[in-house]
Amino acid sequence: MTYDKNLSPVGWYVVSYLLRFVELNDDRKDDDEARFLSWENTILVRASTLDEAYKKGMSVARESSKPYKGGPEGVPVQWKLVGITSVLPIYEELEDGAEIIWTERSPRKLKNLKQMVRPKGSFRH
């Protein structure tokens, strides 16, 4: 069997997509130089291929970007889809301890690596 790093042998993919928050009546909502609050959401999708995972991710992302009335004044707002930021295959069966994603980082001093770690109890939002 040929190994393909773009194909999940277990049929699962991690898909991340980017949304930006806009007030629909704001004249600058489509200004490339304007600043926007954004969320990058990461989801799991079952798919046979990277392309199918992308399509499923886009479908979920579009569902997250419907207009609604926000705040006490009922201002027309929307989390607008910017696009997919990554589609990554999962190589192991999903279970406790299964590695689903990793990030390679450039070499750093140990003291700087230690600053990246958060203490237990600091993960609540």
Side-chain angles (χ1 to χ4, degrees):
M1 182 170 152
T2 307
Y3 170 76
D4 182 350
K5 68 178 182 178
N6 294 306
L7 186 65
S8 169
V10 296
W12 286 99
Y13 294 79
V14 174
V15 179
S16 296
Y17 58 92
L18 189 63
L19 302 169
R20 66 185 174 100
F21 186 77
V22 299
E23 290 186 14
L24 294 174
N25 296 329
D26 184 349
D27 292 338
R28 296 197 64 201
K29 71 179 176 287
D30 294 316
D31 181 347
D32 284 340
E33 296 300 317
R35 292 179 174 266
F36 298 92
L37 175 66
S38 62
W39 279 4
E40 185 171 13
N41 295 339
T42 301
I43 59 172
L44 288 173
V45 297
R46 184 177 279 284
S48 301
T49 65
L50 208 63
D51 289 339
E52 182 185 357
Y54 178 91
K55 288 175 188 170
K56 283 187 162 187
M58 283 297 286
S59 178
V60 170
R62 284 187 186 104
E63 286 297 314
S64 301
S65 62
K66 296 193 187 294
Y68 62 96
K69 304 280 185 186
E73 293 85 34
V75 176
V77 295
Q78 182 177 10
W79 283 99
K80 289 194 100 169
L81 178 61
V82 179
I84 300 291
T85 57
S86 67
V87 180
L88 302 169
I90 294 175
Y91 301 108
E92 299 178 13
E93 291 290 342
L94 296 177
E95 61 184 10
D96 282 349
E99 182 179 82
I100 61 167
I101 193 167
W102 56 270
T103 303
E104 183 175 333
R105 301 192 184 269
S106 58
R108 297 178 184 190
K109 294 178 181 178
L110 177 56
K111 68 179 182 179
N112 295 335
L113 290 173
K114 289 179 179 178
Q115 291 175 353
M116 296 172 63
V117 178
R118 292 172 46 190
K120 179 182 173 184
S122 68
F123 295 97
R124 293 185 185 353
H125 296 284

